[in-house]
Amino acid sequence: MRKPIIAGNWKMNGSRDSIKTLLDGIKAGMGDVKAAEVAVCAPYIYLPDVADQLKGTAVAWGGQNLSTEEKGAFTGEISASMLLDFSCKYVIVGHSERRTLYGEDDALVAKKFAVAHKAGLTPILCIGETLEEREKGITEEVCARQLKAVIDEVGIKTLGEGVIAYEPVWAIGTGKTASPEQAQDVHAFIRGMLAEHDQGVADGLRIQYGGSMNAGNAKELLAMADIDGGLIGGASLKAEDFLAICTAAD
Ligand code: 13P
């Protein structure tokens, strides 16, 4: 049985005040969350606050990105050990915004996965097709290519110690969610690909869905056989909405 994981990706949102309010709300509602593991991925600069506020609670936290380098002259970068210094458990790698806006290619994302895992973080690997790619009918090809890059870099067993987030780019921040069937099809494809390498990894690895998941559509999506949680953007910024998604996993 895979334990569902609901993670908030706050992206570049929030302030010290708004984050305090958000986390107070999430903490107050966690008693109702039965099935899901819960995490939030915060902007780097707020991680000390987040760590202080979530210490000793059931909510884990993480970063949204990391450097492939350990230390040194890399202005503006943050290393895996720095994330660990603030007790991060997770780190998102290969989010589509990093891939498209900051030019992160498959090879770099695979390297980030490797570095994060080696340091002791649990990488959340984002994959997914653009609208153009979906319309061309190459969704599976794109997801397979993005996955293969990581499998080639770290091997299937190591991939199995992370989390995958299938995030169709056309569904991110658009209010246009993939239908449960559309999402399930791709999740099943991903699991099938994992199974070709290792059945145990395929059975155990959690695959989140991400892309306009909200309190209204979470239950249907999470009910699908191969959807093991969600990576939530906009709806993770309000405690009530985020908690509704967390309890939808029950
Ligand atoms: P939205 O939930 O805002 O569509 O964002 C999804 C996402 O990109 C999570 O990483």
Side-chain angles (χ1 to χ4, degrees):
M1 229 346 227
R2 296 180 294 268
K3 187 178 174 69
I5 170 167
I6 308 291
N9 174 10
W10 294 349
K11 308 190 180 182
M12 196 173 73
N13 290 295
S15 64
R16 296 188 85 180
D17 273 355
S18 73
I19 285 169
K20 167 109 184 34
T21 306
L22 174 57
L23 291 179
D24 282 347
I26 293 173
K27 285 190 283 185
M30 277 301 288
D32 296 330
V33 178
K34 303 284 178 259
E37 182 181 344
V38 177
V40 294
C41 294
Y44 292 138
I45 197 159
Y46 295 128
L47 285 169
D49 283 3
V50 169
D52 275 350
Q53 288 166 55
L54 292 181
K55 210 176 340 164
T57 73
V59 183
W61 59 94
Q64 300 172 6
N65 183 28
L66 81 165
S67 172
T68 55
E69 303 295 335
E70 270 176 43
K71 63 173 179 174
F74 303 101
T75 301
E77 291 291 280
I78 296 283
S79 69
S81 68
M82 293 173 184
L83 294 175
L84 287 164
D85 225 359
F86 289 92
S87 307
C88 286
K89 177 167 183 195
Y90 292 101
V91 64
I92 297 171
V93 298
H95 191 280
S96 69
E97 287 147 21
R98 302 285 331 159
R99 291 179 190 262
T100 56
L101 302 172
Y102 299 98
E104 295 194 6
D105 61 12
D106 291 341
L108 180 64
V109 172
K111 187 90 196 297
K112 288 188 174 193
F113 189 105
V115 166
H117 177 271
K118 186 155 177 257
L121 292 158
T122 300
I124 299 177
L125 169 69
C126 298
I127 62 172
E129 81 288 1
T130 62
L131 183 58
E132 194 189 346
E133 289 163 340
R134 174 160 285 261
E135 285 172 347
K136 273 200 215 148
I138 57 168
T139 295
E140 293 185 353
E141 199 179 302
V142 169
C143 291
R145 190 201 72 222
Q146 292 171 334
L147 261 186
K148 183 177 179 299
V150 179
I151 296 171
D152 288 351
E153 176 79 24
V154 301
I156 187 72
K157 294 279 188 210
T158 296
L159 174 63
E161 289 170 14
V163 174
I164 293 175
Y166 167 59
E167 300 205 304
V169 179
W170 48 271
I172 294 177
T174 57
K176 235 203 253 170
T177 321
S179 70
E181 294 73 23
Q182 275 176 324
Q184 167 59 27
D185 282 352
V186 182
H187 282 234
F189 168 77
I190 294 167
R191 205 175 302 285
M193 180 171 166
L194 299 173
E196 283 170 18
H197 291 84
D198 187 304
Q199 189 62 50
V201 167
D203 292 341
L205 183 50
R206 295 177 296 179
I207 309 174
Q208 300 173 303
Y209 168 79
S212 299
M213 196 190 256
N214 58 40
N217 59 29
K219 211 167 183 69
E220 275 189 321
L221 284 159
L222 294 168
M224 304 309 283
D226 290 296
I227 300 184
D228 309 313
L231 187 57
I232 321 297
S236 72
L237 299 173
K238 268 181 62 189
E240 196 189 340
D241 294 351
F242 186 60
L243 286 164
I245 298 170
C246 295
T247 50
D250 288 349

